[in-house]
Amino acid sequence: YSGNANWVYCYCLACWKKHVLALGFVQQEIAKYKTIVDSLPQSVIAELQEKKAKLSQEVQGIQTRLKQLKVQDNIIQSSINPIQQEINKIQQQINVLSNRE
């Protein structure tokens, strides 16, 4: 950060704001959590990995559905645009006719 290798950018998972933290602090936190994870029983680790795999599949499904919805939205928007142009032309004609009266 700013040419100083002792600082790092971190993103808060709760608020998604960027924070600048001391590299030493970050390394300590990583080591602390690694120690906790390393001390977990293998059955717990296997269960967490299984849950992670299921969640990854769900996330992939959601991302696929989101892409499909974006495609559908683009199709709908492309259908709406010509209709809106026609409406605008008709509105202009109405305005012209109204001004003649």
Side-chain angles (χ1 to χ4, degrees):
Y1 172 68
S2 295
N4 187 339
N6 295 320
W7 300 95
V8 292
Y9 286 117
C10 296
Y11 288 88
C12 174
L13 295 177
C15 67
W16 290 102
K17 290 185 181 175
K18 183 168 51 175
H19 301 276
V20 179
L21 299 174
L23 180 59
F25 171 77
V26 172
Q27 289 171 330
Q28 282 179 329
E29 290 298 300
I30 291 171
K32 180 171 67 175
Y33 287 104
K34 184 175 181 343
T35 301
I36 292 169
V37 170
D38 289 346
S39 68
L40 290 173
Q42 281 301 103
S43 61
V44 172
I45 292 172
E47 182 182 340
L48 290 172
Q49 288 173 335
E50 186 178 313
K51 287 180 180 180
K52 178 185 174 187
K54 286 181 183 178
L55 286 172
S56 294
Q57 288 177 343
E58 289 179 20
V59 167
Q60 187 176 14
I62 290 169
Q63 289 172 333
T64 299
R65 182 66 180 134
L66 182 60
K67 287 178 186 176
Q68 291 170 343
L69 290 172
K70 286 181 180 179
V71 168
Q72 290 174 350
D73 180 59
N74 288 339
I75 291 168
I76 291 168
Q77 289 301 325
S78 66
S79 298
I80 290 173
N81 288 338
I83 295 169
Q84 186 62 50
Q85 289 174 353
E86 264 315 298
I87 290 171
N88 290 343
K89 286 179 187 177
I90 292 169
Q91 187 62 47
Q92 287 175 348
Q93 290 172 351
I94 291 171
N95 289 341
V96 167
L97 292 173
S98 294
N99 289 337
R100 287 184 182 173
E101 295 176 1

XYZ file of all heavy atoms in Angstrom:
816
model
N 0.848 -1.182 0.000
C 0.000 0.000 0.000
C 0.878 1.225 0.000
O 1.738 1.382 0.857
C -0.933 -0.039 1.219
C -1.723 1.224 1.421
C -2.711 1.577 0.514
C -1.491 2.056 2.487
C -3.439 2.731 0.681
C -2.219 3.211 2.672
C -3.191 3.549 1.764
O -3.915 4.695 1.927
N 0.676 2.091 -0.938
C 1.462 3.320 -1.083
C 2.964 3.058 -1.006
O 3.701 3.798 -0.354
C 1.063 4.348 -0.010
O -0.268 4.745 -0.204
N 3.406 1.981 -1.638
C 4.842 1.704 -1.671
C 5.361 1.081 -0.394
O 6.554 0.865 -0.259
N 4.493 0.802 0.581
C 4.926 0.231 1.841
C 4.453 -1.211 1.906
O 3.261 -1.482 1.932
C 4.353 1.050 3.004
C 4.902 0.612 4.346
O 5.392 -0.503 4.483
N 4.812 1.480 5.319
N 5.389 -2.148 1.957
C 5.037 -3.573 1.945
C 4.492 -4.050 3.292
O 4.177 -5.215 3.446
C 6.255 -4.392 1.554
N 4.392 -3.166 4.271
C 3.908 -3.557 5.596
C 2.398 -3.392 5.750
O 1.850 -3.642 6.814
C 4.616 -2.748 6.687
C 6.094 -3.076 6.726
O 6.477 -4.223 6.584
N 6.923 -2.059 6.885
N 1.733 -2.960 4.693
C 0.292 -2.730 4.750
C -0.392 -3.481 3.617
O 0.172 -3.619 2.535
C -0.017 -1.229 4.612
C 0.616 -0.427 5.707
C 1.816 0.219 5.654
C 0.106 -0.208 7.010
N 2.078 0.831 6.851
C 1.038 0.593 7.715
C -1.060 -0.604 7.670
C 0.844 0.988 9.019
C -1.253 -0.194 8.977
C -0.310 0.585 9.642
N -1.608 -3.955 3.861
C -2.348 -4.668 2.824
C -3.797 -4.201 2.813
O -4.337 -3.764 3.819
C -2.311 -6.200 3.036
C -0.930 -6.748 2.814
C -2.822 -6.584 4.405
N -4.409 -4.288 1.637
C -5.841 -4.033 1.511
C -6.606 -5.291 1.887
O -6.252 -6.389 1.449
C -6.214 -3.667 0.069
C -5.814 -2.291 -0.370
C -4.913 -2.109 -1.406
C -6.370 -1.167 0.231
C -4.559 -0.839 -1.831
C -6.026 0.098 -0.185
C -5.121 0.260 -1.214
O -4.773 1.514 -1.633
N -7.641 -5.142 2.667
C -8.516 -6.252 3.018
C -9.958 -5.792 2.853
O -10.272 -4.625 3.069
C -8.299 -6.692 4.465
S -6.653 -7.355 4.763
N -10.823 -6.709 2.470
C -12.239 -6.397 2.325
C -13.014 -7.066 3.446
O -12.868 -8.264 3.674
C -12.773 -6.843 0.965
C -12.263 -5.983 -0.153
C -11.071 -6.271 -0.789
C -12.965 -4.851 -0.541
C -10.587 -5.464 -1.808
C -12.493 -4.037 -1.559
C -11.309 -4.351 -2.184
O -10.840 -3.546 -3.172
N -13.815 -6.295 4.134
C -14.647 -6.806 5.212
C -15.793 -7.612 4.611
O -16.513 -7.123 3.740
C -15.191 -5.641 6.041
S -16.367 -6.149 7.300
N -15.983 -8.841 5.071
C -17.048 -9.686 4.540
C -18.416 -9.255 5.050
O -19.438 -9.618 4.475
C -16.796 -11.148 4.900
C -15.540 -11.752 4.263
C -15.346 -13.187 4.740
C -15.607 -11.699 2.757
N -18.448 -8.478 6.122
C -19.729 -8.011 6.664
C -20.233 -6.778 5.918
O -21.409 -6.687 5.583
C -19.585 -7.705 8.152
N -19.345 -5.836 5.624
C -19.788 -4.579 5.011
C -19.222 -4.354 3.608
O -19.595 -3.420 2.925
C -19.401 -3.400 5.894
S -17.608 -3.121 6.012
N -18.294 -5.189 3.172
C -17.653 -5.110 1.869
C -16.885 -3.808 1.648
O -16.650 -3.393 0.528
C -18.643 -5.343 0.734
C -19.080 -6.763 0.699
C -20.256 -7.262 1.154
C -18.335 -7.888 0.244
N -20.286 -8.625 1.005
C -19.129 -9.038 0.436
C -17.078 -8.042 -0.321
C -18.696 -10.308 0.103
C -16.660 -9.311 -0.666
C -17.463 -10.423 -0.449
N -16.485 -3.173 2.744
C -15.653 -1.981 2.617
C -14.186 -2.394 2.627
O -13.801 -3.367 3.247
C -15.929 -1.013 3.766
C -17.282 -0.366 3.672
C -17.456 0.672 4.749
C -18.844 1.294 4.650
N -19.098 2.221 5.727
N -13.382 -1.605 1.923
C -11.954 -1.881 1.860
C -11.286 -1.244 3.080
O -11.566 -0.106 3.433
C -11.375 -1.309 0.579
C -9.899 -1.603 0.393
C -9.384 -1.291 -0.989
C -9.698 0.063 -1.493
N -9.101 0.369 -2.783
N -10.422 -2.018 3.726
C -9.677 -1.528 4.876
C -8.193 -1.745 4.626
O -7.800 -2.693 3.951
C -10.082 -2.271 6.153
C -11.533 -2.147 6.482
N -12.049 -1.072 7.164
C -12.586 -2.950 6.212
C -13.352 -1.222 7.313
N -13.713 -2.350 6.733
N -7.385 -0.882 5.191
C -5.947 -1.051 5.112
C -5.494 -1.577 6.468
O -5.750 -0.961 7.493
C -5.243 0.284 4.791
C -3.741 0.089 4.742
C -5.750 0.862 3.477
N -4.861 -2.740 6.454
C -4.437 -3.365 7.705
C -2.941 -3.650 7.669
O -2.357 -3.861 6.601
C -5.193 -4.676 7.932
C -6.711 -4.562 8.039
C -7.327 -5.951 8.114
C -7.117 -3.736 9.245
N -2.347 -3.695 8.854
C -0.930 -4.023 8.958
C -0.725 -5.475 8.534
O -1.485 -6.360 8.919
C -0.439 -3.815 10.385
N 0.277 -5.715 7.720
C 0.553 -7.052 7.216
C 0.763 -8.038 8.362
O 0.255 -9.157 8.322
C 1.778 -7.025 6.297
C 2.196 -8.362 5.693
C 1.067 -8.948 4.861
C 3.448 -8.194 4.858
N 1.459 -7.624 9.402
C 1.706 -8.501 10.547
C 0.418 -8.956 11.197
O 0.261 -10.132 11.553
N -0.534 -8.036 11.349
C -1.836 -8.379 11.942
C -2.558 -9.399 11.074
O -3.093 -10.387 11.573
C -2.685 -7.120 12.103
C -4.103 -7.394 12.491
C -4.432 -7.736 13.787
C -5.127 -7.347 11.547
C -5.743 -8.015 14.153
C -6.440 -7.620 11.895
C -6.742 -7.952 13.205
N -2.553 -9.182 9.787
C -3.233 -10.092 8.864
C -2.586 -11.472 8.927
O -3.280 -12.495 8.987
C -3.223 -9.529 7.421
C -3.759 -10.542 6.426
C -4.022 -8.235 7.359
N -1.268 -11.526 8.954
C -0.578 -12.807 9.026
C -0.904 -13.537 10.325
O -1.084 -14.751 10.338
C 0.930 -12.606 8.884
C 1.336 -12.222 7.474
C 2.787 -11.799 7.368
O 3.369 -11.262 8.309
N 3.376 -12.045 6.203
N -1.008 -12.799 11.429
C -1.370 -13.404 12.719
C -2.776 -13.989 12.662
O -3.020 -15.098 13.154
C -1.310 -12.363 13.839
C 0.071 -12.043 14.323
C 0.038 -10.978 15.412
O -0.835 -10.117 15.427
N 1.002 -11.038 16.318
N -3.717 -13.255 12.064
C -5.099 -13.731 11.974
C -5.185 -14.989 11.105
O -5.882 -15.937 11.435
C -6.010 -12.633 11.417
C -6.230 -11.479 12.378
C -6.914 -11.907 13.666
O -8.044 -12.418 13.598
O -6.307 -11.739 14.740
N -4.452 -14.992 10.007
C -4.436 -16.173 9.135
C -3.876 -17.366 9.896
O -4.433 -18.468 9.850
C -3.629 -15.890 7.847
C -4.377 -14.881 6.968
C -3.342 -17.182 7.086
C -3.580 -14.371 5.785
N -2.789 -17.171 10.624
C -2.175 -18.264 11.394
C -3.132 -18.768 12.465
O -3.239 -19.982 12.692
C -0.867 -17.793 12.019
N -3.861 -17.839 13.114
C -4.808 -18.231 14.161
C -5.906 -19.118 13.585
O -6.215 -20.178 14.140
C -5.414 -16.971 14.797
C -6.405 -17.262 15.903
C -6.818 -16.004 16.664
C -7.604 -15.055 15.818
N -8.115 -13.889 16.569
N -6.481 -18.715 12.445
C -7.543 -19.499 11.843
C -7.028 -20.810 11.260
O -7.710 -21.829 11.287
C -8.318 -18.679 10.810
C -9.191 -17.652 11.470
C -8.839 -16.312 11.496
C -10.353 -18.041 12.130
C -9.632 -15.384 12.142
C -11.155 -17.112 12.779
C -10.789 -15.774 12.784
O -11.563 -14.863 13.434
N -5.797 -20.817 10.758
C -5.206 -22.050 10.254
C -5.042 -23.046 11.396
O -5.328 -24.242 11.243
C -3.870 -21.774 9.580
C -3.258 -23.016 8.949
C -2.003 -22.685 8.186
C -1.346 -23.858 7.520
N -1.683 -25.172 7.905
N -4.631 -22.573 12.564
C -4.492 -23.435 13.737
C -5.836 -24.033 14.130
O -5.935 -25.226 14.434
C -3.906 -22.633 14.919
O -2.633 -22.104 14.530
C -3.742 -23.500 16.143
N -6.885 -23.206 14.096
C -8.229 -23.690 14.434
C -8.662 -24.762 13.439
O -9.144 -25.827 13.828
C -9.236 -22.519 14.470
C -8.922 -21.594 15.644
C -10.664 -23.032 14.550
C -9.683 -20.276 15.622
N -8.479 -24.494 12.159
C -8.881 -25.447 11.122
C -8.076 -26.743 11.246
O -8.626 -27.839 11.153
C -8.729 -24.830 9.713
C -8.897 -25.886 8.635
C -9.737 -23.710 9.526
N -6.777 -26.613 11.484
C -5.927 -27.802 11.596
C -6.310 -28.673 12.788
O -6.051 -29.877 12.787
C -4.451 -27.402 11.690
C -3.907 -26.865 10.373
O -4.582 -27.053 9.328
O -2.818 -26.259 10.389
N -6.929 -28.069 13.801
C -7.292 -28.837 14.993
C -8.677 -29.491 14.879
O -9.074 -30.254 15.756
C -7.242 -27.937 16.238
O -8.276 -26.968 16.173
N -9.414 -29.205 13.808
C -10.740 -29.803 13.628
C -10.617 -31.291 13.317
O -9.699 -31.704 12.604
C -11.482 -29.118 12.480
C -11.937 -27.686 12.704
C -12.502 -27.121 11.412
C -12.975 -27.618 13.815
N -11.551 -32.091 13.824
C -11.551 -33.520 13.471
C -11.787 -33.692 11.967
O -12.467 -32.885 11.336
C -12.724 -34.091 14.272
C -13.070 -33.067 15.292
C -12.600 -31.758 14.770
N -11.245 -34.758 11.411
C -11.380 -35.027 9.979
C -12.844 -35.128 9.564
O -13.199 -34.712 8.471
C -10.644 -36.310 9.604
C -9.143 -36.125 9.463
C -8.786 -35.095 8.410
O -8.428 -33.973 8.740
N -8.884 -35.462 7.148
N -13.693 -35.657 10.447
C -15.118 -35.790 10.107
C -15.763 -34.419 9.904
O -16.591 -34.238 9.017
C -15.858 -36.570 11.194
O -15.771 -35.895 12.437
N -15.360 -33.456 10.717
C -15.898 -32.101 10.588
C -15.390 -31.470 9.299
O -16.151 -30.843 8.557
C -15.527 -31.234 11.812
C -15.920 -29.786 11.598
C -16.166 -31.795 13.074
N -14.122 -31.668 9.006
C -13.546 -31.127 7.771
C -14.246 -31.734 6.557
O -14.611 -31.022 5.618
C -12.024 -31.370 7.722
C -11.334 -30.519 8.800
C -11.458 -31.047 6.341
C -9.866 -30.796 8.980
N -14.477 -33.053 6.585
C -15.149 -33.718 5.469
C -16.572 -33.181 5.306
O -17.030 -32.944 4.182
C -15.176 -35.225 5.701
N -17.258 -32.975 6.432
C -18.625 -32.439 6.370
C -18.638 -31.028 5.788
O -19.481 -30.694 4.949
C -19.226 -32.425 7.776
C -20.659 -31.948 7.836
C -21.204 -31.915 9.260
O -20.655 -32.587 10.149
O -22.191 -31.180 9.472
N -17.680 -30.212 6.208
C -17.597 -28.846 5.686
C -17.268 -28.845 4.198
O -17.810 -28.042 3.436
C -16.555 -28.045 6.470
C -16.917 -27.702 7.907
C -15.722 -27.092 8.627
C -18.114 -26.770 7.963
N -16.400 -29.749 3.773
C -16.061 -29.837 2.352
C -17.271 -30.277 1.533
O -17.491 -29.773 0.430
C -14.884 -30.793 2.148
C -13.570 -30.213 2.637
C -12.426 -31.220 2.608
O -12.638 -32.426 2.671
N -11.204 -30.710 2.525
N -18.057 -31.170 2.094
C -19.274 -31.623 1.412
C -20.272 -30.472 1.279
O -20.867 -30.264 0.219
C -19.900 -32.778 2.196
C -21.086 -33.415 1.522
C -21.636 -34.585 2.342
O -20.835 -35.430 2.784
O -22.864 -34.624 2.518
N -20.427 -29.714 2.363
C -21.339 -28.560 2.327
C -20.846 -27.528 1.328
O -21.635 -26.930 0.593
C -21.479 -27.946 3.717
C -22.302 -28.781 4.664
C -22.423 -28.131 6.024
C -23.256 -28.980 6.967
N -23.384 -28.373 8.293
N -19.532 -27.336 1.303
C -18.951 -26.375 0.356
C -19.236 -26.804 -1.073
O -19.602 -25.990 -1.925
C -17.443 -26.252 0.578
C -16.766 -25.307 -0.383
C -15.267 -25.308 -0.206
C -14.594 -24.467 -1.272
N -13.128 -24.588 -1.221
N -19.100 -28.107 -1.350
C -19.359 -28.618 -2.700
C -20.820 -28.397 -3.092
O -21.120 -27.979 -4.207
C -18.999 -30.095 -2.775
N -21.736 -28.662 -2.152
C -23.160 -28.457 -2.430
C -23.455 -26.984 -2.677
O -24.198 -26.632 -3.599
C -24.010 -28.975 -1.266
C -24.090 -30.475 -1.197
C -24.954 -30.936 -0.036
C -24.973 -32.454 0.062
N -25.758 -32.918 1.213
N -22.882 -26.123 -1.837
C -23.104 -24.686 -2.008
C -22.516 -24.201 -3.329
O -23.110 -23.363 -4.007
C -22.511 -23.906 -0.834
C -23.281 -24.001 0.470
C -22.496 -23.341 1.601
C -24.657 -23.367 0.339
N -21.373 -24.738 -3.701
C -20.757 -24.349 -4.972
C -21.675 -24.703 -6.139
O -21.824 -23.919 -7.078
C -19.405 -25.038 -5.151
O -18.490 -24.564 -4.186
N -22.302 -25.884 -6.066
C -23.245 -26.280 -7.112
C -24.445 -25.348 -7.136
O -24.923 -24.954 -8.202
C -23.707 -27.723 -6.893
C -22.653 -28.754 -7.191
C -23.135 -30.177 -6.886
O -24.115 -30.368 -6.184
N -22.430 -31.157 -7.423
N -24.940 -24.990 -5.954
C -26.086 -24.086 -5.884
C -25.729 -22.716 -6.451
O -26.513 -22.124 -7.198
C -26.577 -23.959 -4.441
C -27.265 -25.201 -3.919
C -27.718 -25.074 -2.475
O -27.849 -23.942 -1.972
O -27.943 -26.120 -1.853
N -24.562 -22.237 -6.106
C -24.111 -20.941 -6.621
C -23.983 -20.999 -8.136
O -24.413 -20.077 -8.841
C -22.773 -20.514 -5.967
C -22.131 -19.357 -6.710
C -22.989 -20.159 -4.501
N -23.443 -22.087 -8.643
C -23.312 -22.245 -10.099
C -24.682 -22.248 -10.765
O -24.878 -21.628 -11.809
C -22.546 -23.524 -10.422
C -22.213 -23.666 -11.891
C -21.378 -24.905 -12.160
O -21.250 -25.787 -11.326
N -20.812 -24.972 -13.348
N -25.643 -22.933 -10.140
C -27.010 -22.946 -10.669
C -27.628 -21.561 -10.674
O -28.292 -21.166 -11.641
N -27.396 -20.817 -9.611
C -27.929 -19.450 -9.520
C -27.280 -18.572 -10.584
O -27.960 -17.775 -11.240
C -27.708 -18.881 -8.105
C -28.617 -19.616 -7.110
C -27.957 -17.379 -8.067
C -28.306 -19.329 -5.652
N -25.975 -18.726 -10.776
C -25.286 -17.930 -11.793
C -25.800 -18.267 -13.192
O -25.991 -17.372 -14.016
C -23.772 -18.158 -11.707
C -23.153 -17.538 -10.479
C -21.699 -17.916 -10.282
O -21.250 -18.970 -10.723
N -20.955 -17.060 -9.602
N -26.050 -19.547 -13.443
C -26.597 -19.955 -14.739
C -27.976 -19.344 -14.939
O -28.291 -18.819 -16.008
C -26.670 -21.494 -14.823
O -25.342 -22.014 -14.697
C -27.283 -21.951 -16.133
N -28.815 -19.408 -13.909
C -30.175 -18.839 -13.999
C -30.105 -17.328 -14.213
O -30.890 -16.775 -14.992
C -30.969 -19.169 -12.726
C -32.380 -18.664 -12.751
C -33.210 -19.376 -13.818
N -34.569 -18.861 -13.810
C -35.236 -18.523 -14.881
N -34.698 -18.696 -16.084
N -36.453 -18.045 -14.801
N -29.182 -16.667 -13.552
C -29.017 -15.225 -13.722
C -28.637 -14.894 -15.164
O -29.182 -13.955 -15.756
C -27.958 -14.686 -12.752
C -27.694 -13.197 -12.776
C -28.968 -12.410 -12.444
C -26.594 -12.840 -11.796
N -27.749 -15.682 -15.758
C -27.385 -15.467 -17.160
C -28.593 -15.643 -18.064
O -28.807 -14.861 -18.992
C -26.272 -16.438 -17.575
C -24.921 -16.099 -17.009
C -23.881 -17.131 -17.417
C -22.563 -16.877 -16.721
N -21.572 -17.925 -17.025
N -29.405 -16.682 -17.772
C -30.606 -16.913 -18.575
C -31.567 -15.734 -18.452
O -32.158 -15.293 -19.448
C -31.305 -18.199 -18.108
C -30.542 -19.458 -18.412
C -31.148 -20.680 -17.723
O -31.934 -20.559 -16.790
N -30.757 -21.858 -18.182
N -31.725 -15.226 -17.241
C -32.625 -14.092 -17.030
C -32.122 -12.840 -17.740
O -32.921 -12.069 -18.281
C -32.805 -13.824 -15.536
C -33.607 -14.875 -14.767
C -33.540 -14.605 -13.271
C -35.045 -14.920 -15.246
N -30.818 -12.660 -17.778
C -30.253 -11.506 -18.491
C -30.514 -11.621 -19.990
O -30.834 -10.630 -20.647
C -28.756 -11.382 -18.206
C -28.465 -10.857 -16.818
C -26.976 -10.717 -16.565
C -26.720 -10.186 -15.169
N -25.277 -10.051 -14.878
N -30.382 -12.832 -20.518
C -30.674 -13.049 -21.931
C -32.149 -12.750 -22.208
O -32.489 -12.056 -23.172
C -30.310 -14.489 -22.360
C -30.881 -14.824 -23.732
C -28.799 -14.683 -22.350
N -33.032 -13.261 -21.347
C -34.462 -13.000 -21.502
C -34.761 -11.509 -21.400
O -35.580 -10.981 -22.158
C -35.268 -13.766 -20.448
C -35.286 -15.259 -20.675
C -35.970 -16.024 -19.551
O -36.274 -15.467 -18.502
N -36.211 -17.299 -19.773
N -34.083 -10.836 -20.478
C -34.280 -9.389 -20.331
C -33.858 -8.665 -21.604
O -34.550 -7.753 -22.066
C -33.480 -8.873 -19.131
C -33.661 -7.384 -18.933
O -34.817 -6.933 -18.743
O -32.642 -6.652 -18.972
N -32.742 -9.079 -22.189
C -32.286 -8.454 -23.438
C -33.293 -8.670 -24.563
O -33.557 -7.759 -25.351
C -30.918 -9.002 -23.838
C -29.805 -8.494 -22.954
O -29.940 -7.461 -22.303
N -28.715 -9.219 -22.903
N -33.865 -9.872 -24.627
C -34.871 -10.164 -25.654
C -36.096 -9.278 -25.436
O -36.626 -8.681 -26.387
C -35.254 -11.657 -25.626
C -34.074 -12.496 -26.102
C -36.493 -11.917 -26.471
C -34.234 -13.989 -25.859
N -36.534 -9.169 -24.201
C -37.701 -8.332 -23.880
C -37.413 -6.871 -24.212
O -38.251 -6.190 -24.820
C -38.100 -8.501 -22.398
C -38.664 -9.912 -22.174
C -39.105 -7.446 -21.971
C -38.826 -10.288 -20.709
N -36.230 -6.391 -23.824
C -35.873 -5.004 -24.106
C -35.833 -4.742 -25.608
O -36.268 -3.683 -26.068
C -34.523 -4.646 -23.469
C -34.557 -4.542 -21.963
C -35.526 -3.506 -21.460
O -35.732 -2.455 -22.057
N -36.170 -3.807 -20.342
N -35.316 -5.706 -26.365
C -35.258 -5.505 -27.820
C -36.654 -5.514 -28.430
O -36.876 -4.928 -29.484
C -34.361 -6.553 -28.480
O -34.916 -7.839 -28.351
N -37.596 -6.172 -27.778
C -38.989 -6.149 -28.241
C -39.674 -4.845 -27.852
O -40.528 -4.343 -28.576
C -39.770 -7.318 -27.635
O -39.227 -8.536 -28.049
N -39.312 -4.319 -26.694
C -39.940 -3.096 -26.192
C -39.495 -1.874 -26.987
O -40.300 -0.979 -27.265
C -39.626 -2.905 -24.690
C -40.374 -3.948 -23.866
C -39.965 -1.496 -24.222
C -40.009 -3.952 -22.396
N -38.242 -1.827 -27.377
C -37.708 -0.633 -28.044
C -38.481 -0.237 -29.301
O -38.857 0.934 -29.447
C -36.216 -0.810 -28.334
C -35.383 -0.745 -27.068
O -35.802 -0.189 -26.056
N -34.202 -1.324 -27.123
N -38.764 -1.151 -30.233
C -39.535 -0.750 -31.419
C -40.956 -0.293 -31.058
O -41.483 0.643 -31.663
C -39.586 -2.012 -32.278
C -38.518 -2.903 -31.777
C -38.288 -2.532 -30.352
N -41.539 -0.958 -30.073
C -42.885 -0.559 -29.638
C -42.852 0.850 -29.055
O -43.718 1.677 -29.356
C -43.444 -1.576 -28.607
C -43.646 -2.930 -29.278
C -44.744 -1.070 -27.979
C -43.932 -4.065 -28.313
N -41.835 1.139 -28.265
C -41.710 2.475 -27.678
C -41.494 3.518 -28.772
O -42.038 4.624 -28.700
C -40.552 2.513 -26.669
C -40.448 3.826 -25.924
C -41.686 4.127 -25.093
O -42.137 3.287 -24.331
N -42.249 5.308 -25.257
N -40.739 3.168 -29.797
C -40.532 4.098 -30.910
C -41.854 4.380 -31.614
O -42.131 5.527 -31.985
C -39.500 3.529 -31.890
C -38.094 3.522 -31.342
C -37.108 2.814 -32.263
O -37.492 2.210 -33.266
N -35.826 2.877 -31.915
N -42.673 3.350 -31.811
C -43.993 3.535 -32.423
C -44.864 4.431 -31.555
O -45.555 5.321 -32.070
C -44.693 2.185 -32.614
C -44.569 1.537 -33.949
C -44.779 2.431 -35.147
O -45.877 3.002 -35.332
O -43.827 2.568 -35.925
N -44.842 4.192 -30.262
C -45.620 5.021 -29.328
C -45.174 6.468 -29.433
O -46.008 7.388 -29.469
C -45.485 4.492 -27.889
C -46.212 3.151 -27.749
C -46.014 5.510 -26.869
C -45.968 2.435 -26.433
N -43.873 6.697 -29.497
C -43.351 8.061 -29.607
C -43.814 8.729 -30.906
O -44.178 9.915 -30.912
C -41.826 8.053 -29.525
C -41.327 7.697 -28.141
O -42.066 7.742 -27.156
N -40.074 7.314 -28.060
N -43.810 7.972 -32.022
C -44.282 8.520 -33.301
C -45.763 8.900 -33.214
O -46.163 9.974 -33.667
C -44.081 7.503 -34.428
C -42.655 7.332 -34.862
C -42.569 6.274 -35.963
C -41.139 5.946 -36.320
N -41.074 4.870 -37.335
N -46.553 8.009 -32.633
C -47.988 8.280 -32.494
C -48.204 9.492 -31.598
O -49.050 10.354 -31.898
C -48.720 7.033 -31.943
C -48.689 5.915 -32.986
C -50.144 7.363 -31.538
C -49.140 4.563 -32.456
N -47.429 9.584 -30.523
C -47.553 10.735 -29.614
C -47.207 12.030 -30.342
O -47.876 13.045 -30.158
C -46.645 10.550 -28.393
C -46.841 11.600 -27.321
C -48.243 11.575 -26.739
O -48.763 10.532 -26.394
N -48.871 12.736 -26.640
N -46.196 11.981 -31.199
C -45.835 13.164 -31.987
C -46.967 13.548 -32.935
O -47.284 14.732 -33.093
C -44.548 12.918 -32.773
C -43.296 12.905 -31.912
C -42.058 12.538 -32.714
O -42.142 12.073 -33.850
N -40.897 12.725 -32.109
N -47.573 12.542 -33.569
C -48.690 12.817 -34.471
C -49.862 13.423 -33.695
O -50.513 14.361 -34.174
C -49.125 11.529 -35.179
C -48.114 11.034 -36.184
C -48.476 9.653 -36.737
O -49.390 9.003 -36.252
N -47.740 9.224 -37.754
N -50.127 12.913 -32.521
C -51.203 13.465 -31.680
C -50.894 14.909 -31.325
O -51.774 15.782 -31.386
C -51.392 12.607 -30.406
C -51.976 11.243 -30.761
C -52.259 13.330 -29.380
C -52.003 10.256 -29.611
N -49.646 15.181 -30.998
C -49.249 16.548 -30.645
C -49.428 17.495 -31.825
O -49.904 18.618 -31.679
C -47.801 16.576 -30.146
C -47.643 15.930 -28.790
O -48.611 15.760 -28.042
N -46.418 15.549 -28.458
N -49.050 17.005 -33.017
C -49.197 17.830 -34.221
C -50.672 18.115 -34.466
O -51.068 19.263 -34.740
C -48.546 17.135 -35.437
C -48.964 17.822 -36.744
C -47.035 17.111 -35.299
N -51.490 17.089 -34.375
C -52.938 17.264 -34.578
C -53.553 18.165 -33.507
O -54.435 18.979 -33.798
C -53.653 15.907 -34.592
C -53.328 15.013 -35.792
C -53.955 13.647 -35.615
C -53.812 15.661 -37.089
N -53.074 18.030 -32.293
C -53.594 18.873 -31.203
C -53.237 20.338 -31.413
O -54.010 21.248 -31.088
C -53.035 18.406 -29.855
O -53.513 17.123 -29.544
N -52.055 20.591 -31.955
C -51.618 21.959 -32.200
C -52.385 22.613 -33.336
O -52.499 23.839 -33.407
C -50.111 21.988 -32.489
C -49.285 21.701 -31.240
O -49.753 21.887 -30.128
N -48.078 21.222 -31.439
N -52.949 21.816 -34.255
C -53.704 22.352 -35.374
C -55.055 22.882 -34.911
O -55.643 23.721 -35.555
C -53.934 21.282 -36.444
C -52.681 20.967 -37.208
C -52.980 19.981 -38.303
N -51.776 19.634 -39.032
C -51.706 18.708 -39.945
N -52.788 18.014 -40.265
N -50.579 18.451 -40.566
N -55.564 22.313 -33.837
C -56.880 22.726 -33.365
C -56.803 24.014 -32.694
O -56.732 24.940 -32.392
C -57.446 21.680 -32.394
C -57.706 20.361 -33.071
C -58.165 19.304 -32.078
O -58.299 19.587 -30.902
O -58.381 18.182 -32.523
